[in-house]
Amino acid sequence: MAGAAADGARQEDGIRLVLKKAGEAAADDMLAADGYIFACPENLAAIAGGMKLFFDECYYPVLGRIEGRPYAAMICAGSDGENAARQLERITTGWRLKKMADTQIVCTHAQTAEQILAPKIIGEADLTTCRETGRALAAGLSLGIF
C-alpha cells in the first residue's frame, strides 16, 4: 500500500519523496516533510506496534511544529480497521494535521491463524486507490494547495 502511494506521488513533478518504514523514521523526518502518508496494518484492533512506537517517539518532539501539514492514512486490516483508523486520527488531530482524504481501510478478511500469518495480497482496485491518494497529496503540495 505504501509502495503504491509512493508510485502515485512520483508521478508529480517537483516532489521529493522519502519512503521509510516506521522503525526507520524519526522526528527529524517529520519536521523535514511537507506532508505525510501513514500506512500500517491493524493488529488486535489497533495500529501495529511499530507504527505506535513511531508515533510515541515523534509525538512530543514535533508537537506544535507541523501544524497544518496535509496527511492521508491507509490501514490494512483483517476485519474492519475502524479502531486503528480512530487511533491514528486522534494522533494526527493532536498534531493539528490537515486530513486530505478519508482514511483508506483495506480489508483482507484474514480471520484464521493461517490467514493472519500468511502474506497479504492487496487487490489492484485497492492499490489503484493508494496510488491515487499518493498522487493527490503530491499534486496538492506541488500546486501549493496544501
Side-chain angles (χ1 to χ4, degrees):
M1 291 169 51
D7 289 343
R10 286 186 188 102
Q11 295 178 25
E12 290 299 316
D13 292 330
I15 295 297
R16 184 177 149 270
L17 174 76
V18 177
L19 178 62
K20 289 193 173 189
K21 293 181 179 182
E24 300 167 354
D28 287 342
D29 297 306
M30 295 282 301
L31 295 170
D34 294 322
Y36 317 97
I37 296 178
F38 303 112
C40 69
E42 175 190 59
N43 290 338
L44 302 173
I47 58 175
M51 184 65 93
K52 176 67 167 74
L53 181 60
F54 163 76
F55 285 133
D56 286 345
E57 291 177 347
C58 291
Y59 192 82
Y60 290 108
V62 305
L63 187 62
R65 301 170 70 189
I66 59 172
E67 293 176 358
R69 295 182 190 181
Y71 85 95
M74 303 174 197
I75 295 169
C76 185
S79 54
D80 72 5
E82 294 295 329
N83 194 54
R86 278 191 299 278
Q87 186 181 19
L88 194 147
E89 289 173 11
R90 285 188 63 140
I91 294 164
T92 57
T93 297
W95 275 336
R96 309 293 189 268
L97 297 180
K98 181 196 266 183
K99 185 177 178 181
M100 58 81 49
D102 288 336
T103 298
Q104 180 182 0
I105 298 174
V106 174
C107 186
T108 64
H109 304 287
Q111 296 298 304
T112 66
E114 182 177 89
Q115 292 170 331
I116 291 167
L117 294 172
K120 307 302 179 281
I121 297 172
I122 307 300
E124 188 53 40
D126 289 319
L127 291 175
T128 295
T129 303
C130 294
R131 281 189 286 276
E132 290 169 354
T133 298
R135 187 167 189 182
L137 181 61
L141 289 168
S142 180
L143 296 169
I145 295 171
F146 303 123

